[in-house]
């Protein structure tokens, strides 16, 4: 019995040691995987930040760019104050201010171009949503679509806007598009329609006089702007009613309007941010962003990334929970 017990205990000890070795190997592999994951995430973040520096597209990207500019200016100013004295220091500081002005002007020009491109994307997205058919899921899981008269009209207006926005077509095609637009809008009678028809007649007249293409760009942009305003009017395009911002009655808004101490305007509560204490800020979001660009130049995309990652991890642990989306 003692001999059997010794062999059994030896076998149990070997099994325990093997289990510990497996757990140790698995643990070391997990640590190695975590280290590799951290390095990859670090490289990805650096690559993403470098890409945002070189090609900013959103407001957060420009905030990051202004933050980098402020960091560079602070370092240069500290180096100048520590190495130079007297007149040389003043000359170096003036040169630094001129360089900062040039960089701010370059960032501003790029921001104007990006906003113009984003405006075109917003308009295209708005037209696509207004022309989309009604969709719903059937009992067997199939996706059904239905076109109504409003959907067909919205789709026609979208195609017509895309045609009017093309400036590189030849003269005959341009005349065809203008006549088509004129026939489409003259069904209604209002000041907006009369302005569109007047601009169309003016462009047709100028084209018959052999006016150069670059001299007609301003007139064509005005036609596109007025026709977009025509599309956004619910009386002419009922499909846009669900996409436009609905303003409530003044009696319902009197408790949700606040005064901005920056731009001195009364704005809706959604236009104001919240402080860390939970109280409402006295400056609207636009004034806060402008003040950040002009003076402090802080950048909080790191905290937004942490919050996004936290929400993702919490949602992965429990998909039915709604608490992660309440985190701010």
């Amino acid at each position: 019995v003692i001999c059997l017990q010794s062999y059994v205990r030896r076998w149990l000890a070997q099994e325990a040691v093997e289990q510990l070795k497996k757990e140790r190997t698995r643990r070391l592999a997990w640590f190695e995987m975590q280290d590799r994951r951290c390095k990859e995430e670090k490289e990805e973040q650096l690559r993403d930040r470098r890409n945002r520096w070189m090609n900013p597209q959103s407001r957060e990207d420009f905030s990051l760019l202004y933050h980098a500019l402020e960091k560079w200016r602070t370092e240069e100013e500290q180096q100048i104050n520590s190495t130079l004295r007297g007149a040389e220091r003043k000359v170096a500081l003036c040169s630094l201010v001129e360089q900062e002005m040039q960089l701010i002007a370059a960032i501003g020009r790029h921001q104007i171009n990006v906003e113009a491109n984003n405006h075109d994307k917003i308009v295209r997205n708005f037209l696509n949503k207004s022309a989309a058919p009604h969709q719903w899921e059937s009992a067997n899981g199939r996706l059904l679509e239905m076109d109504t008269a409003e959907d067909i009209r919205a789709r026609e207006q979208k195609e017509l806007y895309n045609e009017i926005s093309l400036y590189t077509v030849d003269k005959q095609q341009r005349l065809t598009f203008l006549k088509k637009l004129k026939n489409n809008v003259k069904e209604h009678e209002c000041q907006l329609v009369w302005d569109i028809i007047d601009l169309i007649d003016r462009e047709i007249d100028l084209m018959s006089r052999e006016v150069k293409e670059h001299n007609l760009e301003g007139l064509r942009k005005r036609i596109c702007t007025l026709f977009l305003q025509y599309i956004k009017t619910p009386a002419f395009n009922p499909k846009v009613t669900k996409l436009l911002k609905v303003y409530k009655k003044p009696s319902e808004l009197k408790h949700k309007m606040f005064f901005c101490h920056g731009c001195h305007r009364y704005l809706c509560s959604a236009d104001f941010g919240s402080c860390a204490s939970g109280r409402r800020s006295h400056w609207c979001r636009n004034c806060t962003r402008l003040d950040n660009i002009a003076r402090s130049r802080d950048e909080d995309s790191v905290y937004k990334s942490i919050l996004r990652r936290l929400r993702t991890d919490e949602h992965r642990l429990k998909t039915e929970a709604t608490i992660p989306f309440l985190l701010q």
Side-chain angles (χ1 to χ4, degrees):
V1 171
I2 293 175
C3 182
L4 288 176
Q5 286 179 351
S6 64
Y7 279 105
V8 170
R9 287 168 182 161
R10 178 187 176 188
W11 175 76
L12 292 176
Q14 289 177 348
E15 289 294 325
V17 170
E18 290 295 329
Q19 185 65 25
L20 291 175
K21 287 183 178 179
K22 291 180 180 179
E23 292 180 0
R24 177 178 176 275
T25 305
R26 186 166 59 251
R27 188 72 174 175
L28 292 176
W30 184 81
F31 278 126
E32 184 180 356
M33 184 184 66
Q34 289 296 107
D35 293 340
R36 185 169 61 253
R37 176 187 172 189
C38 291
K39 291 180 181 179
E40 291 177 355
E41 290 181 354
K42 186 72 174 179
E43 293 176 357
E44 183 180 357
Q45 290 179 0
L46 293 176
R47 187 164 54 250
D48 180 65
R49 175 164 294 202
R50 194 178 300 110
N51 186 24
R52 291 170 60 190
W53 279 339
M54 300 302 297
N55 188 23
Q57 296 294 328
S58 61
R59 291 179 178 178
E60 288 78 9
D61 297 345
F62 283 101
S63 298
L64 179 64
L65 206 57
Y66 281 113
H67 177 69
L69 176 62
E70 178 68 16
K71 185 177 179 181
W72 169 81
R73 187 195 64 81
T74 304
E75 292 176 354
E76 292 293 328
E77 185 176 359
Q78 291 177 355
Q79 184 178 1
I80 291 173
N81 292 331
S82 61
T83 56
L84 300 178
R85 293 289 184 276
E88 295 180 354
R89 174 178 171 275
K90 292 184 179 180
V91 172
L93 290 177
C94 290
S95 177
L96 178 62
V97 171
E98 291 179 357
Q99 293 179 10
E100 185 182 8
M101 290 170 57
Q102 294 176 0
L103 292 174
I104 290 175
I107 295 174
R109 288 193 296 269
H110 185 72
Q111 189 171 5
I112 291 173
N113 296 332
V114 170
E115 288 178 354
N117 296 333
N118 291 339
H119 175 71
D120 294 337
K121 293 180 181 179
I122 292 173
V123 171
R124 302 295 179 186
N125 189 23
F126 173 81
L127 294 176
N128 292 332
K129 287 183 179 180
S130 64
H134 291 275
Q135 296 181 352
W136 70 93
E137 189 175 352
S138 63
N140 55 2
R142 294 178 57 188
L143 185 63
L144 302 179
E145 295 183 355
M146 181 185 68
D147 283 332
T148 61
E150 298 176 354
D151 299 333
I152 296 174
R153 178 169 179 79
R155 194 172 299 114
E156 291 176 354
Q157 292 179 351
K158 171 197 168 184
E159 294 175 356
L160 190 56
Y161 181 85
N162 294 334
E163 293 173 352
I164 293 297
S165 302
L166 295 176
Y167 302 150
T168 57
V169 296
D170 56 3
K171 182 178 178 181
Q172 192 62 33
Q173 287 182 335
R174 184 68 184 177
L175 290 174
T176 304
F177 295 156
L178 292 175
K179 293 179 181 179
K180 185 177 178 181
L181 174 62
K182 186 176 181 180
N183 295 331
N184 186 280
V185 300
K186 70 179 182 181
E187 300 175 358
H188 307 275
E189 293 185 1
C190 65
Q191 185 63 41
L192 179 60
V193 174
W194 295 336
D195 292 340
I196 295 175
I197 294 176
D198 181 55
L199 293 178
I200 291 174
D201 295 337
R202 190 181 307 176
E203 183 179 354
I204 294 175
D205 181 63
L206 292 176
M207 290 177 64
S208 63
R209 297 173 185 269
E210 301 296 334
V211 178
K212 295 182 179 180
E213 295 290 333
H214 62 86
N215 293 329
L216 297 175
E217 290 183 1
L219 180 59
R220 291 174 176 176
K221 289 181 179 179
R222 290 179 61 191
I223 293 175
C224 291
T225 303
L226 289 182
F227 184 56
L228 181 62
Q229 185 178 351
Y230 175 88
I231 294 175
K232 290 183 177 181
T233 305
F236 308 140
N237 187 12
K239 189 67 182 298
V240 301
T241 306
K242 298 180 180 179
L243 302 177
L244 296 177
K245 186 177 181 180
V246 180
Y247 292 94
K248 300 181 181 179
K249 297 180 181 179
S251 59
E252 298 178 3
L253 290 175
K254 64 180 181 180
H255 299 296
K256 296 183 179 180
M257 301 297 292
F258 300 97
F259 181 74
C260 176
H261 294 267
C263 57
H264 301 285
R265 295 186 301 169
Y266 284 94
L267 301 172
C268 186
S269 59
D271 296 327
F272 291 85
S274 58
C275 302
S277 59
R279 291 181 292 180
R280 180 183 54 82
S281 175
H282 295 288
W283 285 32
C284 65
R285 298 181 188 274
N286 292 331
C287 293
T288 303
R289 186 174 65 256
L290 183 61
D291 181 72
N292 183 33
I293 292 175
R295 290 190 289 186
S296 57
R297 294 177 185 168
D298 296 326
E299 195 265 328
D300 56 353
S301 63
V302 178
Y303 305 104
K304 290 184 178 180
S305 177
I306 294 174
L307 177 60
R308 194 184 312 114
R309 194 178 297 270
L310 177 61
R311 286 175 175 171
T312 303
D313 294 341
E314 291 291 332
H315 186 64
R316 189 188 302 114
L317 292 176
K318 190 174 182 181
T319 56
E320 296 83 5
T322 57
I323 294 179
F325 301 100
L326 300 177
L327 297 176
Q328 298 181 357

